[in-house]
Every structure is written in C-alpha cells, then in structure tokens.
Amino acid sequence: MTTAVRAQVVDDLLEHDEPSIRWLTRTTVLHEDDGSPACVRLRGEIRESVRVRALLDGHAELRPDTYGKWHGAHWVLAHLTELGYPSGQAEVQPLLDEVLTAWTAPYFRRSQVLIGRSSGSVVPVVAGRHRVHASLQGSALLSAVRLGPQDERVATLAGMLRRWQWDDGGWNCDRHTHAISSSAHETWLPMRGLHAYAVDADDETAAGAARRAAEVLLARRVVLRRSSDQPGHRDWLRLRYPAYWHYGLLVGLVALDELGLLRDERCAQALDLLEQQRLPSGWWSAQGRYYRGVGTEPGASIDYVDWGAADRRTPNPWVTVKALAVLAAAGRL
C-alpha cells in the first residue's frame, strides 16, 4: 500500500459516519490516547449513535434469552464492547447483571460442580480435561471489564476460566476422549477476557493464564497447521465482521495484538495473508457474514443491525479498521 493510498483510507475512516469507526481509527490505528478530548467526545457520540440505540432498543423490545443468536444480552454487550461504548453506564447494568448471573450461577448449583465428573455436571471432566464452552465466560469477562462497573462475579468468571484451562493453555468443549488439544474457537475470547481482567485488576495470575492461551494461537501460527503452511480450517482465512464466537485470521491477530504479541515471528505468515487480501483501493472486504438478517423478529442468527457489505469486492469499514490496526501494531504500515 502506498503512503498516499494509506493516508486516504485513514482520512476516509476518520470522516466516517459511524463514530465507532472514527474512534477505532484514532485509538487503534493512530494510537491516540483514549483520554484525549476528541476521543472522549467520540465516546459520547458512540453512546447515542444510531447503531448503539438500535442494539439497546431492539433488545428492550424483543427481550430474548441471554444467549439468543444474535439478539441476546450476551451479544449486545459483545457488540457494545467492540464499538467503544463508554464504561459505567447505568443503562447497560441490567444486561451485565443478566449475563454475569447466567454464566456464573448455574455452575454452583451442586457442590464441586466445577470439577464434577458425572454426565450431569455443568462442566464434565473427560480424560482429565474440563469440557466447556469457555467462549461464553471469556466474552462475558471481556464485556464486564470494558463496560463495568464490576463486582465479585467478574473475579469469579476469571477464576472459573483459570480452573478450566487445559495444560496446553486453551479450552475445548469437545467431550470425546480423542479431543486432547484446545480449540481456537473456545480460546481466543477467554484469552482476551483474562488479559483485560489482568490489566484492570493488576492480576498476575490472570495475565499468565492469558499468555498461556496465546501459545495455542501462536503454535498454530495464528491460522496454519502445525505440520504445514496450509490453513487449519479453510474458513479461517475468510474475513468477517462481527465474528461472534467464530475464530479466524482477523480475530486471531486482533486478540494477539491486545497482548502485544504481533511482533512474534509466528505471526508473520498470518500478517502476510491479511495483507494479501487488501483490495486495490487500500480497503478490505468482509467475505460473508455469520448473521442471517437484521431486525427484531425472533429468529436464529438475526442481528439488530447491519454490519456492512459482505462480498469480496466491496469495502467494509469494520474489517478495514481492524486490519489497519493489526498492521500498524505489527509495524507494517
């Protein structure tokens, strides 16, 4: 990308209609202090933006289950976290309460359920490993830290994740005995959540757990097989936004960026792959989507808002700003 093209893309993002895009460009691409007057003003704009109001008002109208794809409070909080919604806002506290209760309380219904071995346990142990959808607690932990204020349930989430962590550093929900390696899908969100919690709470134990989780991704060179330069899964190379819980090239690099690990040589090939997907215009596209529609009608995989074009030729600002942030952190701009 030439300097002129890069500068034009950044200028366009700084003038984008979405205040979240402008905030992400300033803080993650240009590394402007989030406490600067411009960023503080943008946070206020984000809170009142059309997109944020659609998420919160849509949820209030529909009142879905906590996890309902992609309407539930779990996903609304995940979106707000990525959009730069300001922390400590009273209007999201009911959603935080719902999610924190949902992902902590059930695990304490019976004594020792966290290490229970019976098939009726919430978290079964198979072949000495906890089998759990840790992306739930990981995403909730990240949202709770970023959106706050926090209570004892946040520390509980972090403790649960550490207790369930596999020896190789990650997590997996596969209950088959032959599943002996962590799942990238179940690892990238707990890694982000534990890292955010470690920074916020100055918790060295959580920081170590996050760094161990990062090895799961780095050992795969983010998206490649350990034994070859082939992708671990063909879908991992496709750029999509939002990712929800799905793992892939872009979310893997973003997660590793948060831990300051993009200069690790094991990220080099993944960064090459990201650069290769840049459009001639200097933007990136979203190559498909995980949500199936937009609105407040009940239905599987319906989101409250549209996240932009999802074909290989049309620029997508959400993917572009994330890609630029990753390349900037890696020293490739």
Side-chain angles (χ1 to χ4, degrees), residues 26-105:
R26 285 180 176 272
T27 57
T28 67
V29 179
L30 301 178
H31 297 131
E32 183 174 327
D33 187 341
D34 193 30
S36 71
C39 288
V40 171
R41 286 194 299 272
L42 275 173
R43 290 277 197 150
E45 289 185 45
I46 290 168
R47 183 177 183 274
E48 300 303 328
S49 68
V50 172
R51 184 172 300 275
V52 165
R53 300 333 302 175
L55 290 167
L56 292 173
D57 294 346
H59 182 269
E61 176 185 340
L62 191 59
R63 297 182 179 277
D65 292 338
T66 302
Y67 187 76
K69 294 182 178 179
W70 307 106
H71 279 140
H74 180 90
W75 302 112
V76 172
L77 292 177
H79 286 332
L80 296 180
T81 299
E82 298 299 324
L83 290 172
Y85 183 89
S87 64
Q89 304 298 308
E91 67 177 344
V92 301
Q93 191 58 48
L95 278 72
L96 284 167
D97 287 337
E98 178 184 342
V99 169
L100 289 171
T101 298
W103 304 143
T104 57

Side-chain angles (χ1 to χ4, degrees), residues 17-333:
D17 291 342
E18 288 278 354
S20 292
I21 292 291
R22 301 200 299 275
W23 174 76
L24 285 165
T25 304
R26 285 180 176 272
T27 57
T28 67
V29 179
L30 301 178
H31 297 131
E32 183 174 327
D33 187 341
D34 193 30
S36 71
C39 288
V40 171
R41 286 194 299 272
L42 275 173
R43 290 277 197 150
E45 289 185 45
I46 290 168
R47 183 177 183 274
E48 300 303 328
S49 68
V50 172
R51 184 172 300 275
V52 165
R53 300 333 302 175
L55 290 167
L56 292 173
D57 294 346
H59 182 269
E61 176 185 340
L62 191 59
R63 297 182 179 277
D65 292 338
T66 302
Y67 187 76
K69 294 182 178 179
W70 307 106
H71 279 140
H74 180 90
W75 302 112
V76 172
L77 292 177
H79 286 332
L80 296 180
T81 299
E82 298 299 324
L83 290 172
Y85 183 89
S87 64
Q89 304 298 308
E91 67 177 344
V92 301
Q93 191 58 48
L95 278 72
L96 284 167
D97 287 337
E98 178 184 342
V99 169
L100 289 171
T101 298
W103 304 143
T104 57
Y107 299 88
F108 295 97
R109 286 177 184 157
R110 293 181 292 277
S111 63
Q112 301 300 313
V113 73
L114 288 177
I115 57 173
R117 297 176 180 275
S118 71
S119 60
S121 295
V122 174
V123 180
V125 176
V126 178
R129 298 174 177 87
H130 293 88
R131 312 294 173 138
V132 59
H133 293 284
S135 60
L136 302 179
Q137 281 78 16
S139 180
L141 180 59
L142 180 63
S143 295
V145 171
R146 296 278 178 85
L147 301 177
Q150 302 173 37
D151 59 32
E152 68 281 356
R153 292 172 296 181
V154 179
T156 297
L157 279 176
M160 292 163 68
L161 287 169
R162 292 197 305 271
R163 182 176 295 194
W164 298 335
Q165 193 169 21
W166 287 21
D167 289 343
D168 67 359
W171 295 262
N172 200 331
C173 60
D174 193 329
R175 298 190 181 191
H176 293 94
T177 56
H178 60 73
I180 57 174
S181 298
S182 293
S183 161
H185 290 298
E186 297 295 347
T187 297
W188 69 280
L189 281 167
M191 184 185 83
R192 293 184 68 198
L194 284 167
H195 174 71
Y197 176 78
V199 172
D200 188 75
D202 193 22
D203 187 317
E204 288 297 325
T205 304
R211 185 60 182 81
R212 287 175 55 213
E215 283 298 318
V216 174
L217 310 187
L218 291 172
R220 292 172 165 85
R221 289 169 293 162
V222 187
V223 291
L224 303 176
R225 296 183 185 275
R226 293 184 177 92
S227 58
S228 73
D229 288 339
Q230 297 302 308
H233 192 287
R234 61 183 181 182
D235 198 49
W236 285 3
L237 298 185
R238 300 181 68 184
L239 310 181
R240 293 173 175 172
Y241 190 88
Y244 304 103
W245 58 264
H246 300 83
Y247 185 69
L249 174 64
L250 189 56
V251 298
L253 290 170
V254 168
L256 291 167
D257 177 23
E258 291 178 351
L259 272 71
L261 296 173
L262 289 183
R263 303 293 179 115
D264 189 299
E265 63 182 10
R266 291 171 289 180
C267 293
Q269 287 171 283
L271 290 163
D272 291 343
L273 290 168
L274 180 64
E275 289 191 291
Q276 291 165 15
Q277 297 196 50
R278 186 175 54 233
L279 300 173
S281 64
W283 292 65
W284 279 259
S285 63
Q287 300 149 11
R289 54 170 61 105
Y290 290 116
Y291 63 102
R292 296 180 180 175
V294 176
T296 55
E297 293 296 324
S301 302
I302 304 296
D303 208 325
Y304 294 113
V305 294
D306 183 89
W307 296 97
D311 64 78
R312 291 183 177 273
R313 291 182 292 275
T314 306
N316 182 290
W318 305 100
V319 174
T320 298
V321 73
K322 295 287 186 180
L324 285 174
V326 162
L327 294 175
R332 293 199 177 202
L333 290 184

